[in-house]
Amino acid sequence: MNKEKIWLSSPHIGTDEMSYIEDAFASNWISTLGSNVDGFEDDLENYLSESDASRSSVCVLNSGTSAIHLALILLGVNSEDEVICQSFTFAASANPILYLGAIPVFVDSEPITFGICPTQLEKAILDRIAKGKKPKAIIAVHTYGMLFEVEKIIEISKKYNIPLLEDAASALGSSFKGKKCGTFGDIGVVSFNGNKIITTSGGGALISKSAKIKKKAIFLASQARDKAPHYQHSNIGYNYRMSNISASIGRGQMKILESHIAKRRITNQFYKSIFKDIKGVAVFKEPNTNYYSNFWLTIICIDKSHKITKEQLRLNLLNENIESRSLWKPLHLQPIFSTYPYYGSTIAEDLFETGLCLPSGSNMTEAQKNKIKKTINKTFT
Ligand SMILES: *Cc1c(COP(=O)(O)O)cnc(C)c1O
């Protein structure tokens, strides 16, 4: 039987991307300089600043991971420094800490937004300070498009004067009290990887509060070339800048971002209606009306006592060629990170044990949704 694959989240191209790419080709601006790089940065700055008097400065890069790496450098992280990082996240949130030879200190999540737990965060900060080393930065992550408790985390970051790096890789378009994700941290990061809410085929952006930081980010991302007629370098440089072709795709994608979000939010409602009558399964939801999630992925948690496990549901879906994926395995349990300090209990661990991400792409058809619904209902009857 030939079953068409239903993806967790696949690229969804609009109508304008190609004309931006053609412009780039026509003008021969197909490398890391060009009007679409500047244009995409403008588009993002306008979008992020819509509801905010203070304008954000955006530097577009070749991935979200490189944006996190540069953000840590710009925040002054050096080798042997400690950096606090939410444990319940994708490895790319923490790998750049290791690139720098710095030390990750992992913190558990709270059970409402699944973002970094304020209580454990403060505990970790106090304990690290008592042990003689004040953490250099805090990496907090919006999980699957849902905001972490931004007000509490910003308050802690200010109280201890430790800068906040906001990993909004999957949260472009999400907001809290109308303020957009990516603008809460001292530096914010978004990703345009193929599976994210919009894509540039691969890419990311570093969001800061000043044109000066943006300029520094562009400098470091373009091999740190000093002003001279020859190649002259006084800093370690990186080749992290976004190409004008990727930025062309991004410009087209910005035009359909809001409609992509609307579709993912409808998909979230679709899953809520399926699980309304299934006992012991919770669909991840916004805690209150201050939170607006792009619902990049809809996730469910199945009670531990339930006779169906997340793995059984995953396999049943897979059998129909429907992709789903376990929630993140916490980083403090990953072999590469398991020797580093961890503050918390078992919230992140329980999420891993019970949670599944369901197909949420903005390009899913009604027929595909019906097939998903049938498979879920069959599993739970
Ligand atoms: C996707 C993602 C990243 C990495 O972004 P890339 O563009 O794939 O490098 C980092 N953190 C989180 C939470 C992500 O979901």
Side-chain angles (χ1 to χ4, degrees), residues 195-222:
N195 61 348
K196 297 295 187 329
I197 192 106
I198 60 168
T199 186
T200 58
S201 78
L206 185 148
I207 302 155
S208 69
K209 299 190 190 309
S210 84
K212 216 172 115 192
I213 297 175
K214 170 177 174 171
K215 209 172 150 197
K216 184 100 189 274
I218 293 173
F219 170 75
L220 293 174
S222 323

PDB file of all heavy atoms in Angstrom, residues 195-222:
ATOM      1  N   ASN A 195      11.736  23.107   9.202  1.00  0.00           N
ATOM      2  CA  ASN A 195      10.575  22.622   9.954  1.00  0.00           C
ATOM      3  C   ASN A 195       9.915  23.716  10.790  1.00  0.00           C
ATOM      4  O   ASN A 195       8.932  23.474  11.462  1.00  0.00           O
ATOM      5  CB  ASN A 195      10.999  21.460  10.866  1.00  0.00           C
ATOM      6  CG  ASN A 195      12.056  21.871  11.876  1.00  0.00           C
ATOM      7  OD1 ASN A 195      12.648  22.939  11.774  1.00  0.00           O
ATOM      8  ND2 ASN A 195      12.293  21.025  12.862  1.00  0.00           N
ATOM      9  N   LYS A 196      10.450  24.939  10.766  1.00  0.00           N
ATOM     10  CA  LYS A 196       9.921  25.986  11.642  1.00  0.00           C
ATOM     11  C   LYS A 196       8.707  26.685  11.014  1.00  0.00           C
ATOM     12  O   LYS A 196       8.299  26.357   9.907  1.00  0.00           O
ATOM     13  CB  LYS A 196      11.029  26.985  11.981  1.00  0.00           C
ATOM     14  CG  LYS A 196      12.195  26.356  12.771  1.00  0.00           C
ATOM     15  CD  LYS A 196      11.753  25.892  14.126  1.00  0.00           C
ATOM     16  CE  LYS A 196      12.801  25.401  15.102  1.00  0.00           C
ATOM     17  NZ  LYS A 196      14.011  24.754  14.787  1.00  0.00           N
ATOM     18  N   ILE A 197       8.187  27.696  11.694  1.00  0.00           N
ATOM     19  CA  ILE A 197       6.913  28.306  11.275  1.00  0.00           C
ATOM     20  C   ILE A 197       7.037  28.978   9.902  1.00  0.00           C
ATOM     21  O   ILE A 197       6.119  28.912   9.097  1.00  0.00           O
ATOM     22  CB  ILE A 197       6.393  29.264  12.371  1.00  0.00           C
ATOM     23  CG1 ILE A 197       4.958  29.682  12.103  1.00  0.00           C
ATOM     24  CG2 ILE A 197       7.280  30.491  12.555  1.00  0.00           C
ATOM     25  CD1 ILE A 197       3.980  29.029  13.016  1.00  0.00           C
ATOM     26  N   ILE A 198       8.180  29.615   9.633  1.00  0.00           N
ATOM     27  CA  ILE A 198       8.531  29.983   8.259  1.00  0.00           C
ATOM     28  C   ILE A 198       9.978  29.554   8.041  1.00  0.00           C
ATOM     29  O   ILE A 198      10.732  29.362   8.997  1.00  0.00           O
ATOM     30  CB  ILE A 198       8.382  31.498   7.945  1.00  0.00           C
ATOM     31  CG1 ILE A 198       9.262  32.348   8.847  1.00  0.00           C
ATOM     32  CG2 ILE A 198       6.932  31.934   7.987  1.00  0.00           C
ATOM     33  CD1 ILE A 198       9.381  33.814   8.405  1.00  0.00           C
ATOM     34  N   THR A 199      10.359  29.400   6.787  1.00  0.00           N
ATOM     35  CA  THR A 199      11.702  28.892   6.511  1.00  0.00           C
ATOM     36  C   THR A 199      12.393  29.716   5.425  1.00  0.00           C
ATOM     37  O   THR A 199      11.744  30.324   4.578  1.00  0.00           O
ATOM     38  CB  THR A 199      11.658  27.410   6.098  1.00  0.00           C
ATOM     39  OG1 THR A 199      13.004  26.934   5.968  1.00  0.00           O
ATOM     40  CG2 THR A 199      10.942  27.219   4.774  1.00  0.00           C
ATOM     41  N   THR A 200      13.727  29.730   5.498  1.00  0.00           N
ATOM     42  CA  THR A 200      14.523  30.307   4.417  1.00  0.00           C
ATOM     43  C   THR A 200      15.355  29.185   3.795  1.00  0.00           C
ATOM     44  O   THR A 200      16.407  29.437   3.229  1.00  0.00           O
ATOM     45  CB  THR A 200      15.463  31.406   4.963  1.00  0.00           C
ATOM     46  OG1 THR A 200      16.303  30.830   5.973  1.00  0.00           O
ATOM     47  CG2 THR A 200      14.692  32.556   5.559  1.00  0.00           C
ATOM     48  N   SER A 201      14.909  27.959   3.945  1.00  0.00           N
ATOM     49  CA  SER A 201      15.570  26.693   3.649  1.00  0.00           C
ATOM     50  C   SER A 201      16.531  26.329   4.767  1.00  0.00           C
ATOM     51  O   SER A 201      16.710  25.156   5.095  1.00  0.00           O
ATOM     52  CB  SER A 201      16.270  26.682   2.281  1.00  0.00           C
ATOM     53  OG  SER A 201      17.496  27.370   2.314  1.00  0.00           O
ATOM     54  N   GLY A 202      17.131  27.284   5.380  1.00  0.00           N
ATOM     55  CA  GLY A 202      17.960  27.142   6.559  1.00  0.00           C
ATOM     56  C   GLY A 202      18.347  28.557   6.924  1.00  0.00           C
ATOM     57  O   GLY A 202      18.670  29.343   6.027  1.00  0.00           O
ATOM     58  N   GLY A 203      18.293  28.895   8.192  1.00  0.00           N
ATOM     59  CA  GLY A 203      18.651  30.263   8.566  1.00  0.00           C
ATOM     60  C   GLY A 203      18.223  30.597   9.970  1.00  0.00           C
ATOM     61  O   GLY A 203      17.572  29.783  10.647  1.00  0.00           O
ATOM     62  N   GLY A 204      18.629  31.773  10.402  1.00  0.00           N
ATOM     63  CA  GLY A 204      18.266  32.210  11.742  1.00  0.00           C
ATOM     64  C   GLY A 204      18.439  33.711  11.843  1.00  0.00           C
ATOM     65  O   GLY A 204      18.888  34.360  10.884  1.00  0.00           O
ATOM     66  N   ALA A 205      18.092  34.261  12.995  1.00  0.00           N
ATOM     67  CA  ALA A 205      18.279  35.694  13.188  1.00  0.00           C
ATOM     68  C   ALA A 205      18.637  35.975  14.631  1.00  0.00           C
ATOM     69  O   ALA A 205      18.194  35.268  15.552  1.00  0.00           O
ATOM     70  CB  ALA A 205      17.023  36.461  12.803  1.00  0.00           C
ATOM     71  N   LEU A 206      19.461  36.992  14.808  1.00  0.00           N
ATOM     72  CA  LEU A 206      19.840  37.471  16.133  1.00  0.00           C
ATOM     73  C   LEU A 206      19.152  38.812  16.330  1.00  0.00           C
ATOM     74  O   LEU A 206      19.322  39.730  15.528  1.00  0.00           O
ATOM     75  CB  LEU A 206      21.365  37.582  16.206  1.00  0.00           C
ATOM     76  CG  LEU A 206      21.986  37.945  17.551  1.00  0.00           C
ATOM     77  CD1 LEU A 206      23.351  37.287  17.693  1.00  0.00           C
ATOM     78  CD2 LEU A 206      22.117  39.446  17.749  1.00  0.00           C
ATOM     79  N   ILE A 207      18.366  38.893  17.401  1.00  0.00           N
ATOM     80  CA  ILE A 207      17.558  40.090  17.659  1.00  0.00           C
ATOM     81  C   ILE A 207      18.127  40.797  18.880  1.00  0.00           C
ATOM     82  O   ILE A 207      18.276  40.192  19.943  1.00  0.00           O
ATOM     83  CB  ILE A 207      16.091  39.687  17.927  1.00  0.00           C
ATOM     84  CG1 ILE A 207      15.525  38.896  16.739  1.00  0.00           C
ATOM     85  CG2 ILE A 207      15.237  40.910  18.233  1.00  0.00           C
ATOM     86  CD1 ILE A 207      14.383  37.984  17.105  1.00  0.00           C
ATOM     87  N   SER A 208      18.463  42.071  18.704  1.00  0.00           N
ATOM     88  CA  SER A 208      19.022  42.800  19.844  1.00  0.00           C
ATOM     89  C   SER A 208      18.315  44.138  19.996  1.00  0.00           C
ATOM     90  O   SER A 208      17.437  44.484  19.206  1.00  0.00           O
ATOM     91  CB  SER A 208      20.516  43.011  19.656  1.00  0.00           C
ATOM     92  OG  SER A 208      20.728  43.932  18.603  1.00  0.00           O
ATOM     93  N   LYS A 209      18.713  44.862  21.033  1.00  0.00           N
ATOM     94  CA  LYS A 209      18.029  46.114  21.328  1.00  0.00           C
ATOM     95  C   LYS A 209      18.788  47.319  20.777  1.00  0.00           C
ATOM     96  O   LYS A 209      18.393  48.461  21.001  1.00  0.00           O
ATOM     97  CB  LYS A 209      17.830  46.256  22.839  1.00  0.00           C
ATOM     98  CG  LYS A 209      16.983  45.127  23.408  1.00  0.00           C
ATOM     99  CD  LYS A 209      16.597  45.394  24.837  1.00  0.00           C
ATOM    100  CE  LYS A 209      15.963  44.179  25.495  1.00  0.00           C
ATOM    101  NZ  LYS A 209      14.869  43.558  24.740  1.00  0.00           N
ATOM    102  N   SER A 210      19.904  47.087  20.080  1.00  0.00           N
ATOM    103  CA  SER A 210      20.645  48.250  19.587  1.00  0.00           C
ATOM    104  C   SER A 210      21.309  47.978  18.241  1.00  0.00           C
ATOM    105  O   SER A 210      21.718  46.848  17.941  1.00  0.00           O
ATOM    106  CB  SER A 210      21.712  48.679  20.600  1.00  0.00           C
ATOM    107  OG  SER A 210      22.881  47.927  20.429  1.00  0.00           O
ATOM    108  N   ALA A 211      21.413  49.031  17.447  1.00  0.00           N
ATOM    109  CA  ALA A 211      22.058  48.936  16.140  1.00  0.00           C
ATOM    110  C   ALA A 211      23.535  48.587  16.305  1.00  0.00           C
ATOM    111  O   ALA A 211      24.145  47.996  15.421  1.00  0.00           O
ATOM    112  CB  ALA A 211      21.889  50.250  15.389  1.00  0.00           C
ATOM    113  N   LYS A 212      24.092  48.959  17.465  1.00  0.00           N
ATOM    114  CA  LYS A 212      25.503  48.692  17.719  1.00  0.00           C
ATOM    115  C   LYS A 212      25.762  47.181  17.852  1.00  0.00           C
ATOM    116  O   LYS A 212      26.738  46.665  17.306  1.00  0.00           O
ATOM    117  CB  LYS A 212      25.914  49.407  19.025  1.00  0.00           C
ATOM    118  CG  LYS A 212      27.328  49.966  18.989  1.00  0.00           C
ATOM    119  CD  LYS A 212      27.597  50.820  20.207  1.00  0.00           C
ATOM    120  CE  LYS A 212      28.674  50.160  21.059  1.00  0.00           C
ATOM    121  NZ  LYS A 212      28.810  50.767  22.386  1.00  0.00           N
ATOM    122  N   ILE A 213      24.875  46.507  18.566  1.00  0.00           N
ATOM    123  CA  ILE A 213      25.032  45.051  18.720  1.00  0.00           C
ATOM    124  C   ILE A 213      24.830  44.360  17.370  1.00  0.00           C
ATOM    125  O   ILE A 213      25.552  43.437  17.008  1.00  0.00           O
ATOM    126  CB  ILE A 213      24.043  44.498  19.776  1.00  0.00           C
ATOM    127  CG1 ILE A 213      24.364  45.103  21.151  1.00  0.00           C
ATOM    128  CG2 ILE A 213      24.117  42.972  19.845  1.00  0.00           C
ATOM    129  CD1 ILE A 213      23.388  44.725  22.239  1.00  0.00           C
ATOM    130  N   LYS A 214      23.844  44.853  16.620  1.00  0.00           N
ATOM    131  CA  LYS A 214      23.612  44.290  15.282  1.00  0.00           C
ATOM    132  C   LYS A 214      24.874  44.406  14.417  1.00  0.00           C
ATOM    133  O   LYS A 214      25.278  43.457  13.749  1.00  0.00           O
ATOM    134  CB  LYS A 214      22.447  45.033  14.617  1.00  0.00           C
ATOM    135  CG  LYS A 214      22.270  44.713  13.138  1.00  0.00           C
ATOM    136  CD  LYS A 214      21.053  45.418  12.554  1.00  0.00           C
ATOM    137  CE  LYS A 214      20.972  45.210  11.042  1.00  0.00           C
ATOM    138  NZ  LYS A 214      19.695  45.710  10.507  1.00  0.00           N
ATOM    139  N   LYS A 215      25.488  45.561  14.475  1.00  0.00           N
ATOM    140  CA  LYS A 215      26.686  45.808  13.674  1.00  0.00           C
ATOM    141  C   LYS A 215      27.815  44.850  14.068  1.00  0.00           C
ATOM    142  O   LYS A 215      28.507  44.281  13.220  1.00  0.00           O
ATOM    143  CB  LYS A 215      27.129  47.267  13.889  1.00  0.00           C
ATOM    144  CG  LYS A 215      27.852  47.858  12.709  1.00  0.00           C
ATOM    145  CD  LYS A 215      28.098  49.341  12.890  1.00  0.00           C
ATOM    146  CE  LYS A 215      29.380  49.692  12.154  1.00  0.00           C
ATOM    147  NZ  LYS A 215      29.949  50.966  12.563  1.00  0.00           N
ATOM    148  N   LYS A 216      27.952  44.674  15.377  1.00  0.00           N
ATOM    149  CA  LYS A 216      28.974  43.752  15.891  1.00  0.00           C
ATOM    150  C   LYS A 216      28.670  42.316  15.440  1.00  0.00           C
ATOM    151  O   LYS A 216      29.593  41.564  15.073  1.00  0.00           O
ATOM    152  CB  LYS A 216      28.973  43.857  17.429  1.00  0.00           C
ATOM    153  CG  LYS A 216      30.014  43.044  18.151  1.00  0.00           C
ATOM    154  CD  LYS A 216      31.212  43.870  18.564  1.00  0.00           C
ATOM    155  CE  LYS A 216      32.352  43.011  19.098  1.00  0.00           C
ATOM    156  NZ  LYS A 216      32.227  42.719  20.545  1.00  0.00           N
ATOM    157  N   ALA A 217      27.382  41.946  15.462  1.00  0.00           N
ATOM    158  CA  ALA A 217      26.988  40.593  15.039  1.00  0.00           C
ATOM    159  C   ALA A 217      27.324  40.385  13.559  1.00  0.00           C
ATOM    160  O   ALA A 217      27.866  39.348  13.182  1.00  0.00           O
ATOM    161  CB  ALA A 217      25.495  40.370  15.297  1.00  0.00           C
ATOM    162  N   ILE A 218      27.023  41.379  12.737  1.00  0.00           N
ATOM    163  CA  ILE A 218      27.329  41.271  11.299  1.00  0.00           C
ATOM    164  C   ILE A 218      28.840  41.144  11.094  1.00  0.00           C
ATOM    165  O   ILE A 218      29.310  40.329  10.301  1.00  0.00           O
ATOM    166  CB  ILE A 218      26.772  42.496  10.525  1.00  0.00           C
ATOM    167  CG1 ILE A 218      25.239  42.485  10.554  1.00  0.00           C
ATOM    168  CG2 ILE A 218      27.282  42.515   9.082  1.00  0.00           C
ATOM    169  CD1 ILE A 218      24.578  43.721   9.960  1.00  0.00           C
ATOM    170  N   PHE A 219      29.598  41.927  11.862  1.00  0.00           N
ATOM    171  CA  PHE A 219      31.062  41.901  11.787  1.00  0.00           C
ATOM    172  C   PHE A 219      31.592  40.500  12.101  1.00  0.00           C
ATOM    173  O   PHE A 219      32.355  39.911  11.321  1.00  0.00           O
ATOM    174  CB  PHE A 219      31.608  42.951  12.764  1.00  0.00           C
ATOM    175  CG  PHE A 219      33.087  42.906  13.001  1.00  0.00           C
ATOM    176  CD1 PHE A 219      33.975  43.386  12.041  1.00  0.00           C
ATOM    177  CD2 PHE A 219      33.606  42.412  14.191  1.00  0.00           C
ATOM    178  CE1 PHE A 219      35.348  43.357  12.267  1.00  0.00           C
ATOM    179  CE2 PHE A 219      34.970  42.382  14.424  1.00  0.00           C
ATOM    180  CZ  PHE A 219      35.841  42.857  13.460  1.00  0.00           C
ATOM    181  N   LEU A 220      31.149  39.937  13.231  1.00  0.00           N
ATOM    182  CA  LEU A 220      31.633  38.605  13.628  1.00  0.00           C
ATOM    183  C   LEU A 220      31.168  37.530  12.646  1.00  0.00           C
ATOM    184  O   LEU A 220      31.889  36.579  12.359  1.00  0.00           O
ATOM    185  CB  LEU A 220      31.136  38.266  15.041  1.00  0.00           C
ATOM    186  CG  LEU A 220      31.714  39.108  16.178  1.00  0.00           C
ATOM    187  CD1 LEU A 220      31.022  38.745  17.499  1.00  0.00           C
ATOM    188  CD2 LEU A 220      33.221  38.915  16.304  1.00  0.00           C
ATOM    189  N   ALA A 221      29.938  37.704  12.115  1.00  0.00           N
ATOM    190  CA  ALA A 221      29.363  36.692  11.214  1.00  0.00           C
ATOM    191  C   ALA A 221      29.994  36.737   9.829  1.00  0.00           C
ATOM    192  O   ALA A 221      29.797  35.826   9.026  1.00  0.00           O
ATOM    193  CB  ALA A 221      27.854  36.892  11.103  1.00  0.00           C
ATOM    194  N   SER A 222      30.741  37.797   9.531  1.00  0.00           N
ATOM    195  CA  SER A 222      31.355  37.957   8.207  1.00  0.00           C
ATOM    196  C   SER A 222      32.872  37.924   8.318  1.00  0.00           C
ATOM    197  O   SER A 222      33.572  38.733   7.724  1.00  0.00           O
ATOM    198  CB  SER A 222      30.906  39.257   7.550  1.00  0.00           C
ATOM    199  OG  SER A 222      29.573  39.547   7.838  1.00  0.00           O
TER     200      SER A 222
END
